[in-house]
Every structure is written in C-alpha cells, then in structure tokens.
Amino acid sequence: MWKWLHPYAKTERAYQLCQRLLPWFTLSGLVLIVVGAIWALAFSPADYQQGDSYRIFHIHVPSAILSKSLYMGMASAAFVGLVWQIKTSFMSMVAFAPVGAAITFISLITGAAWGKPMWGTWWEWDARMTSQLVLLFLFLGVMALYKAFDDKEQGSKAAAVMAIVGIINLPIIHYSVEWWNTLHQGATLLKLEKPSMPVEMLLPFLVSLFGWSFCCVSIVLLRIQNEIISRELKRPWVIALANQQVKNSS
Amino acid sequence: MWVNQLSITKRDRVLFDNLTFSVDAGQLLYIKGPNGAGKTSLLRVLAGLSAANSGDVIMNSTNMSSSEASPSHTPSVSNTVYFGHKLGINSMLSPVENLQFWCQCSEITVTKNQIYDVLAKLSLVGLEDVPVSNLSAGQQRRTALARFWLQPNASLWIMDEPFTALDVEGVSVLSEHIHQFLCKGGAVIMTSHQSLDIAYPTTELQLEYRH
Amino acid sequence: MSGLIALFKRDLSVAFQQRSELMQPILFFVLVVSLFPLGVGPESAILQKMGPGVIWVAAILSSLLGMERLFKDDFQDGSLEQIILSGMSLPAVALIKVLVHWLTSIFPLILLSPLWALFLYLSEPMYWALVWTLLLGTPILSLIGAIAVGLTVGLNKGGVLLALLLLPMFIPVLIFATAAVESASLDLAYNGQLAIIGAMFLFSLALAPFAIAYALRVSQT
C-alpha cells in the first residue's frame, strides 16, 4: 500500500501531484459553493421556527464540520511525518493549520451571527461554541510554534508534536466542556437539536458542504505547493520550474 | 566509524551533501573550514546529538544516525566522549560535583580522589569545590575537558574547538593527552582554528562555506 | 539507574541554590489570589463561590511561570547534550526532571493552601477537595507543560508562546477540579471528578515522558 505513496515523499513529485489535483478541486469547489448558495438562499424553503435566519446554517455547519476535519488532517499529516520522517508530510501539516484556523474562525463568527436572533446574544457559553473557541486556540498555537523557529524543519517537527498532543486532548476537552456546560446551564437554554431535515433543505446543505470541502482542499494544496517552493528555493528543480514559468509568460 | 553520503541542511541552507569518509582506530581527523561551513553541525551528527537529512553514520557496525531512524532513539554512545561549544557544566555546582554527576550518568565508577587528581593535572588545584560560576572562562573549559581523563573505555573523542580560551600550558597538556590517546588506539575527530601542535599523522577534511 | 538517582539529587541541590527564584511563582500566586477579593469585594458568599476557580486559574498561571525554567539551564549550559549522550533513557530523565520541578515549584503551593482557604472563605470539605484536586491535577500540568517547554527550550521567546500552547490543554483539568470543589461545597461526593483527574494523570504519566524526550531531541537539531 505504501508503494504508491512513497514517491510523494519527494518534494518535486508532491508538487506535481498538487499541480494536477488543484484545478479539479478548485473548479468543482467553486461551482458547488455558488450552486449551493443560490439554492439555499433563493430556492429552499424558510424554516417554520427560525424563519430566514436559519440560512446561515449553510455556511456555519459546513465550516464547523470542516474545522474538525482540518484539525484531523493536520494531526494525521503530523503523525505520518513524525513516524516515517517524511518531509512533505510536515509541509502539508504546516499548510493545513492556517486554513483550519480560518475555517474555525468563520464557524465562530457565523455561530455568533446565528446566535443573535436565536438566543438574543452574540456569545453564549454553549458547549459547541466553547469547544470551537478552544479549537481555534489549538490551531493558533500550532501556527505560532511553527513561526517561532528559524529553522523550518525543526519548527515543523515541534509543531507536529503539539498538533498530536492537541488531537489526543481534543476529545477530552470537548467532552469536559460539554459536561461543564450541562452542569452549569442544565436545560435552561433552548438547545438547537438537530431536527430531521426536509430534503429541500438537506440537498443544498450537502452541496455547500462539498463545495466548502473542495475549496478547502484546493487552498491546502496551494499552500503545500507554496511551502515546498519556499523551502526548496535553491534546489535545481525549483529553479528549472521558475525558468520555465518565465519562458511561458514571455 | 564510517560516514556515508551524509547531507545536512540547516535553516534551509545546505551545509554539505554526500559527504563520505571514515575514521579508524588510532586516526586523528582534523576538520577544517571557515565559520558557518558546518563543522559543528557535522560533529553533532557524528556524536549522535542531531540527525542528518540523509546518509548514514555507522559506528562499530551499528547505524547511529540515518534519516529513517526515529530521533527518539538514543544510540549507544558510551564509548564516545563529546566536547562541544556548550560545556555541559552547571555553574551552580562545583567542578567536582559536575564531574561526579557526569560520571554517574555515564556509569563510570570513579572515586573523588581520581577526580581531584585529574583536576590537579589541569591545574585547577584549590578550585575543586568552588561553584563553577566563580571560575574564569579558561578554567571552566578545563573542568569540562576533564571528561577526557575520566572515561577509560572511550574509543572516540569528538572535540569541537578544544583549545579555545586555554593558555599555552593548558594547550600543551591537552595536546599531550590527545597524543597518548591516539597512541593507545583511540580515534579523535576535532575542529580547531589554531594550528595543531600534535606530533601525529593527521587526516584533514576541508569543508567549504556554501551559500 | 544510578545516573537517574544522581540526576534527582543534582536537580534538587541546584533548585535549592536557586530558592529565591523558585519563590517567585509562589509569590505571584499569593498576589493573584489576594487581588481577587480587592477586585470583586469582600463578601464571603461571592468569594466562596469563586474561590476554587480563582485558586485553580492562579495555580495554572503560576505553574506556567515556573515551567519555563524546567529545561532552560540544562539546555543553555550544555548539560542536556551530555545527558542525552550519556545513554540514559531520555523519557526517564524527563520524568525525573518533571518530578523535581513539581516538588520544588508546585508542591510548596499545596503546602501553603490553608492560607488560600482562609483568604477565600472555603469551607472545610471544600478545602480538602481542593487539596486532592491540586495533588492529582498539578502533576498533569507539569507533565503536559514539559512537552511544550521541551519544544520551545531552544527559542528565546518562551513566555507567551508557552501560554498560548498550554492554556487550552489545561481546560479539562480546570473544569473537573473546580467541579470537584463545587460538589464538595454542596456536601456532595466528588470522587467521580477526582477519578477522572486521576485517570488523566495516569494517562499523561504514561505518554508525556516519551513526548518530552522527543521534544528534547528535536531541540538539539
């Protein structure tokens, strides 16, 4: 199984793979987001309880789901990098972190915007919002640790250790926050249970979920390429690539 | 010790690639090169402190450092004594306490008197029980160099600039000690900006500064 | 083994010679705790309600302050290099260093805890719950904290970075510890929360030394 993965430990091959995958993810991601947004905003019915304000759900929920997936992705890349000492794996880990932080931030902002009409307040110490906030801090911690090192290789190893400590801690943090929340607020707060969604609402949601996922993948791919280039500026293949680009554009 | 196709990158600058050489018993390898050429980085990899980007360091037929090996694995290096830029001496403790601690860590049994003898050879008489922070730079380095007298089973010494800050007498004591070690079949890898004054055949390895 | 014992003794004696520096986080703790009554007013009901949280937050902050020094001296003077090269098991070394650090810079906080109980009007069951949570919970802070300290030891900008890395990780300990004291204040059983903190302690005791050892190795490159 590792045979087909192994060549991508080489930075040049990994760069080419990103290059090949990039247009597909970008194109399909953008199309799906546009379709999903139009569908969700204009065509799907309003919620009988929440009115039109529920429509932010089509951004909020995908970003909440993706934030955790991106952390998972980052930690998996970190794990692969630490165990098999694969350079490109560390680079992908570094590429994941800011995307994850941005998506987590989006989920917090949209959550607050949704909370205002629903709960009457911008911020509620709700279990899910609190653990999203902690997730944002975890992303920021990994990024800050990486940036603190001059030597990028050493920095990415350190950040990888922290990402793995984070992924072990994440479920513990999540459940402790949930438990803390029920302990302190009980049933006083109207909890938004997940009602069974009608198909007209589910379909545009799925479309935007996939659109957002593909877009995130394409941004991560771009960032991986960027990371590879910036670390290997002086390698012959990068210089050859740059020369070719110059030739093509002139 | 056999070094095969070693490459080290630091701060995203390639220090050297595909460096291959070997060091045998009774050999003195003298690594030369300008500042920043990677002498210290090379020594740290040879000592097993840091990992190379690629290549192997094979010592007594065990591979100490390869890019594949997990960095959490500590290679057995009890027959190597390393002397680096950082002395490895705690300034709160006295020379004797420091050396006793080092010997206990390395599982060397020495008596206090042996340590006093070694310190006397390095002309640190009367300073054995003073906190190291009260010693001069040269005296602190002598304290750290005392390790080369205390490890009887060593087969390899790795010395990064051992002569810096030593006075004439200190240099001659250390050169003499290195000479004896080589004659007994020990191997020495060292860097120095001073010219070597050891009457022993020297192998030189020149590293270039690369941009 | 004799090397580890020597390390334990050496670290203790070095710590003893730096006792004035070791006192600083403890003084910081006292100050933070005594600022709260000045900030929120001296009513005993409010202080009692806030007490466990205040004490635990202050304990986390002061442990962060003291933690920075955990590997710093040994890294800077090169002792760490020699320890790594000595062939001693690095996770065991890490465990010993964390143990000494906990004994010298956090255990005194627990010894002084009757004072906090007086400052914040804690009842007797609350006090005992607090002592138990501190005894079981603060080693978790030290163990997890040491990973981040090991990673950042080579940088000269530890402080705030360490807080950013570690404070989110300490949330579960904070939640369960303060919940235990709160249960005690209502005369409820709090062994459930203590058991969870104990489980987290054992878990970090089992895994953290290896992560710390890896972190120390990374710091050497």
Side-chain angles (χ1 to χ4, degrees):
Chain A
M1 184 212 157
W2 294 108
K3 263 213 166 129
W4 65 271
L5 260 182
H6 207 72
Y8 299 112
K10 291 229 166 45
T11 46
E12 190 180 352
R13 296 292 297 274
Y15 182 88
Q16 286 161 353
L17 178 72
C18 294
Q19 191 72 39
R20 232 173 300 144
L21 293 176
L22 194 58
W24 299 102
F25 278 106
T26 317
L27 203 69
S28 55
L30 285 176
V31 167
L32 286 176
I33 283 188
V34 170
V35 169
I38 293 173
W39 193 347
L41 286 176
F43 297 104
S44 85
D47 189 82
Y48 75 99
Q49 238 182 350
Q50 304 181 19
D52 280 332
S53 64
Y54 97 97
R55 292 183 203 275
I56 199 166
F57 159 100
H58 293 285
I59 301 177
H60 176 69
V61 177
S63 62
I65 293 173
L66 274 173
S67 62
K68 280 160 196 121
S69 318
L70 285 165
Y71 199 93
M72 235 1 244
M74 181 176 79
S76 318
F79 184 78
V80 171
L82 286 178
V83 171
W84 286 284
Q85 297 292 311
I86 295 173
K87 217 170 159 188
T88 45
S89 192
F90 286 120
M91 293 173 177
S92 348
M93 182 211 79
V94 172
F96 269 110
V99 184
I103 288 289
T104 314
F105 189 67
I106 291 175
S107 83
L108 276 170
I109 293 285
T110 51
W114 196 8
K116 183 68 183 163
M118 288 300 99
W119 298 328
T121 152
W122 291 104
W123 182 261
E124 186 65 53
W125 285 100
D126 163 72
R128 274 172 290 173
M129 288 189 74
T130 312
S131 41
Q132 272 318 86
L133 186 66
V134 176
L135 187 67
L136 178 65
F137 289 140
L138 291 180
F139 273 122
L140 292 179
V142 169
M143 284 161 66
L145 187 59
Y146 173 66
K147 287 272 189 277
F149 283 85
D150 292 329
D151 188 308
K152 285 181 179 157
E153 207 154 314
Q154 195 186 359
S156 53
K157 272 184 192 167
V161 174
M162 230 43 227
I164 287 174
V165 175
I167 198 84
I168 296 173
N169 244 307
L170 203 57
I172 303 177
I173 294 173
H174 181 79
Y175 286 108
S176 65
V177 167
E178 205 139 90
W179 181 77
W180 161 81
N181 189 251
T182 48
L183 186 77
H184 286 269
Q185 299 190 316
T188 55
L189 197 106
L190 168 115
K191 263 211 167 167
L192 294 169
E193 311 113 19
K194 280 184 196 139
S196 53
M197 239 188 301
V199 183
E200 310 90 88
M201 287 186 190
L202 186 67
L203 279 179
F205 164 70
L206 285 178
V207 169
S208 27
L209 176 63
F210 279 102
W212 280 85
S213 318
F214 290 162
C215 268
C216 280
V217 172
S218 72
I219 297 171
V220 169
L221 288 175
L222 257 179
R223 289 190 52 89
I224 293 176
Q225 286 189 314
N226 192 24
E227 190 68 28
I228 291 176
I229 293 283
S230 74
R231 280 209 216 175
E232 309 229 305
L233 265 182
K234 284 166 190 161
R235 290 292 173 91
W237 73 268
V238 177
I239 296 169
L241 190 78
N243 286 336
Q244 204 188 334
Q245 296 263 332
V246 171
K247 225 180 276 168
N248 287 354
S249 62
S250 65
Chain B
M1 168 181 271
W2 188 58
V3 174
N4 188 27
Q5 301 202 317
L6 203 66
S7 305
I8 300 179
T9 314
K10 200 159 193 196
R11 307 241 154 109
D12 309 304
R13 184 166 70 85
V14 178
L15 296 175
F16 43 81
D17 342 93
N18 295 335
L19 194 66
T20 301
F21 61 88
S22 66
V23 182
D24 301 316
Q27 192 181 345
L28 170 61
L29 179 72
Y30 178 36
I31 299 171
K32 283 166 103 174
N35 295 114
K39 300 189 293 294
T40 297
S41 303
L42 175 60
L43 289 191
R44 290 174 67 84
V45 169
L46 295 183
L49 270 176
S50 51
N53 295 67
S54 64
D56 307 296
V57 177
I58 293 159
M59 199 169 148
N60 301 335
S61 72
T62 49
N63 196 335
M64 298 220 318
S65 150
S66 71
S67 47
E68 309 294 317
S70 130
S72 59
H73 156 79
T74 314
S76 164
V77 281
S78 58
N79 47 6
T80 304
V81 182
Y82 171 78
F83 175 83
H85 278 292
K86 296 180 187 167
L87 300 178
I89 296 278
N90 187 298
S91 59
M92 300 273 170
L93 302 174
S94 71
V96 171
E97 282 169 323
N98 268 304
L99 292 171
Q100 261 184 325
F101 170 65
W102 184 79
C103 289
Q104 278 165 326
C105 288
S106 314
E107 291 179 349
I108 306 166
T109 37
V110 284
T111 60
K112 243 186 175 163
N113 283 334
Q114 280 170 295
I115 295 179
Y116 277 104
D117 287 345
V118 169
L119 289 175
K121 270 184 210 157
L122 288 160
S123 46
L124 289 168
V125 180
L127 298 169
E128 294 97 339
D129 295 309
V130 179
V132 170
S133 52
N134 297 357
L135 269 55
S136 76
Q139 287 167 334
Q140 292 186 6
R141 291 185 76 85
R142 284 162 192 251
T143 310
L145 285 166
R147 295 194 193 106
F148 292 109
W149 274 262
L150 290 169
Q151 170 61 285
N153 304 321
S155 59
L156 173 66
W157 289 356
I158 296 177
M159 311 169 106
D160 198 355
E161 305 282 351
F163 296 115
T164 309
L166 289 187
D167 57 18
V168 179
E169 183 239 338
V171 171
S172 77
V173 169
L174 183 60
S175 305
E176 175 59 29
H177 191 53
I178 292 174
H179 189 255
Q180 279 177 6
F181 179 65
L182 288 164
C183 291
K184 277 190 290 182
V188 176
I189 302 175
M190 66 187 293
T191 64
S192 177
H193 287 295
Q194 276 108 322
S195 58
L196 277 191
D197 192 21
I198 300 173
Y200 197 84
T202 315
T203 320
E204 286 191 5
L205 176 71
Q206 181 76 36
L207 294 181
E208 304 291 335
Y209 184 85
R210 294 170 59 159
H211 293 275
Chain C
M1 197 58 213
S2 66
L4 294 175
I5 296 167
L7 177 71
F8 181 74
K9 286 184 187 155
R10 165 189 175 267
D11 275 14
L12 271 185
S13 77
V14 170
F16 183 69
Q17 294 190 31
Q18 300 176 319
R19 52 193 179 276
S20 61
E21 277 172 66
L22 283 175
M23 281 305 291
Q24 286 168 7
I26 298 171
L27 282 175
F28 171 81
F29 183 94
V30 179
L31 280 170
V32 170
V33 170
S34 50
L35 279 183
F36 270 87
L38 299 174
V40 299
E43 289 103 296
S44 64
I46 296 177
L47 287 179
Q48 195 182 36
K49 181 102 180 56
M50 289 182 43
V54 168
I55 289 176
W56 258 95
V57 170
I60 286 176
L61 293 179
S62 71
S63 77
L64 263 182
L65 265 186
M67 209 123 56
E68 242 189 292
R69 320 176 19 97
L70 185 49
F71 300 115
K72 195 167 229 162
D73 288 348
D74 280 350
F75 177 83
Q76 282 177 345
D77 67 22
S79 303
L80 196 57
E81 291 174 359
Q82 296 294 340
I83 287 172
I84 291 174
L85 292 178
S86 72
M88 284 196 287
S89 146
L90 206 49
V93 167
L95 198 59
I96 297 278
K97 291 200 74 79
V98 171
L99 173 67
V100 173
H101 176 260
W102 184 82
L103 281 175
T104 53
S105 64
I106 296 183
F107 191 59
L109 284 184
I110 303 176
L111 288 181
L112 288 174
S113 59
L115 193 62
W116 330 135
L118 283 177
F119 274 11
L120 298 170
Y121 306 109
L122 300 191
S123 65
E124 204 188 316
M126 283 172 86
Y127 170 69
W128 286 113
L130 181 72
V131 170
W132 277 113
T133 56
L134 284 172
L135 275 176
L136 280 174
T138 48
I140 307 176
L141 308 184
S142 298
L143 284 164
I144 297 179
I147 302 173
V149 176
L151 291 172
T152 54
V153 72
L155 306 167
N156 284 325
K157 33 196 164 180
V160 182
L161 181 61
L162 217 52
L164 177 62
L165 289 175
L166 288 177
L167 290 180
M169 306 280 178
F170 292 163
I171 290 173
V173 182
L174 177 69
I175 288 177
F176 286 109
T178 49
V181 184
E182 221 173 287
S183 297
S185 74
L186 303 169
D187 280 325
L188 297 172
Y190 52 84
N191 44 12
Q193 288 92 320
L194 272 190
I196 291 175
I197 298 175
M200 290 195 282
F201 168 54
L202 291 178
F203 187 63
S204 47
L205 186 65
L207 292 184
F210 296 95
I212 303 167
Y214 184 85
L216 290 177
R217 287 220 139 245
V218 170
S219 75
Q220 290 296 325
T221 29

